[in-house]
Amino acid sequence: MLLAIDAGNTNIVFAVFDGEQVRGEWRASTHTDRTADELGVWLMQLLTTENLKREDISAVIIASVVPAIVFNLKTLCRRYFGCEPQVVGDEGVDLGIKVLLDRPEEVGADRLVNAVAAHKFYKGPLIVIDFGTATTFDVVDGLGNYCGGAIAPGINLSLEALHMAAAKLPRVAIGRPKQVIGKATVPAMMSGIFWGYVGLIEGLVKRMEEEFGAKMLVVATGGLAPLFAESTPVINELASDLTLRGLLEIHRRNSRSEKA
């Protein structure tokens, strides 16, 4: 079985694949000072809840946008699963796509993994929107090549910044307001954040399509993707596990290469 690890700025997602089937999926908050043993003990306990043992894991693949945590994740794999993990971005790990940028090494691993998965499952020119700590918009051409994109502050980050910078503005929950015109401070904040984000999505998608020169399929992923997918017609597909599926595809590609 494959253990796929997606280490983001806010959470680390661990998922166990048995072929195409996800046998277990768990999240831990991202802390760079958390040791390999702390993660290992936590993960061993969770494996047992799905009737899995450490011996069931034969391979591991990691994508991380937090460089400081990669060493401990590698140590976790070696110490608890007895294997050397594949790490997206390391030399020798083939993604199967071209990164058409001036400085391809600067692209976050999660964005490239999303591009791999989106091309596999949807084809055609694509825009992948990932609602994470940052909201990223990534363009993938019809051949699966990564063409670049845009990065905006995530909605939770925007809410926190608004609360921190304005003394009289409270923290508010994210939700879809029924009205755009708020009749009090909290509804006005909710409207500005939510409908402002919808406007951001629709505006960037429109401009990207115009610049690319073609209509593009828009795929949304990330924790808040369902909320926004219901609120704008520009989002065509919802893929909550896109990054994990991309890790599975990259692992398979590189495993085939090693056997060839």
Side-chain angles (χ1 to χ4, degrees):
M1 296 184 194
L2 172 69
L3 174 64
I5 304 175
D6 173 25
N9 288 297
T10 303
N11 292 312
I12 309 174
V13 181
F14 298 81
V16 175
F17 282 96
D18 185 359
E20 293 288 336
Q21 180 187 6
V22 178
R23 289 285 304 274
E25 182 179 331
W26 310 279
R27 291 173 180 267
S29 56
T30 302
H31 294 295
T32 56
D33 57 352
R34 184 170 288 167
T35 68
D37 290 323
E38 287 173 324
L39 287 170
V41 170
W42 171 82
L43 187 56
M44 292 306 105
Q45 292 176 330
L46 289 171
L47 286 171
T48 62
T49 65
E50 300 295 336
N51 296 316
L52 295 169
K53 303 185 294 293
R54 69 167 75 184
E55 294 81 10
D56 295 328
I57 308 299
S58 58
V60 185
I61 185 167
I62 300 170
S64 176
V65 298
V66 185
I69 208 168
V70 174
F71 176 80
N72 284 337
L73 289 175
K74 286 183 174 181
T75 303
L76 165 72
C77 299
R78 294 165 184 151
R79 185 172 297 166
Y80 287 86
F81 302 110
C83 67
E84 189 66 28
Q86 296 170 342
V87 180
V88 175
D90 279 4
E91 187 177 354
V93 177
D94 181 16
L95 303 183
I97 64 173
K98 294 180 180 178
V99 182
L100 306 179
L101 302 182
D102 295 333
R103 300 178 66 89
E105 69 279 2
E106 293 182 353
V107 185
D110 55 340
R111 302 174 74 185
L112 297 177
V113 173
N114 285 345
V116 170
H119 178 66
K120 174 179 172 62
F121 291 108
Y122 301 105
K123 308 299 182 184
L126 303 158
I127 297 173
V128 180
I129 307 176
D130 191 345
F131 295 90
T133 307
T135 300
T136 56
F137 297 73
D138 296 305
V139 174
V140 184
D141 68 18
L143 298 175
N145 300 315
Y146 180 84
C147 302
I151 303 173
I155 191 165
N156 284 305
L157 199 60
S158 299
L159 278 170
E160 188 64 18
L162 192 61
H163 165 70
M164 294 294 291
K168 290 190 175 182
L169 297 184
R171 286 189 174 91
V172 298
I174 300 166
R176 177 178 176 172
K178 294 180 179 179
Q179 296 176 308
V180 178
I181 302 173
K183 300 297 186 180
T185 298
V186 169
M189 290 176 66
M190 292 178 67
S191 176
I193 287 291
F194 183 83
W195 293 115
Y197 243 75
V198 171
L200 169 75
I201 294 164
E202 293 174 346
L204 276 175
V205 167
K206 180 176 181 291
R207 289 174 181 272
M208 284 180 168
E209 288 181 334
E210 289 174 351
E211 190 170 305
F212 190 81
K215 184 70 176 174
M216 307 174 82
L217 186 78
V218 180
V219 181
T221 191
L224 291 173
L227 179 63
F228 288 99
E230 295 173 354
S231 305
T232 174
V234 305
I235 295 177
N236 307 116
E237 299 286 347
L238 184 61
S240 59
D241 60 350
L242 193 68
T243 310
L244 294 174
R245 291 290 170 183
L247 285 171
L248 176 62
E249 177 63 20
I250 293 168
H251 168 71
R252 284 177 171 169
R253 179 180 183 85
N254 285 271
S255 296
R256 289 193 297 266
S257 299
E258 291 172 2
K259 292 176 182 178

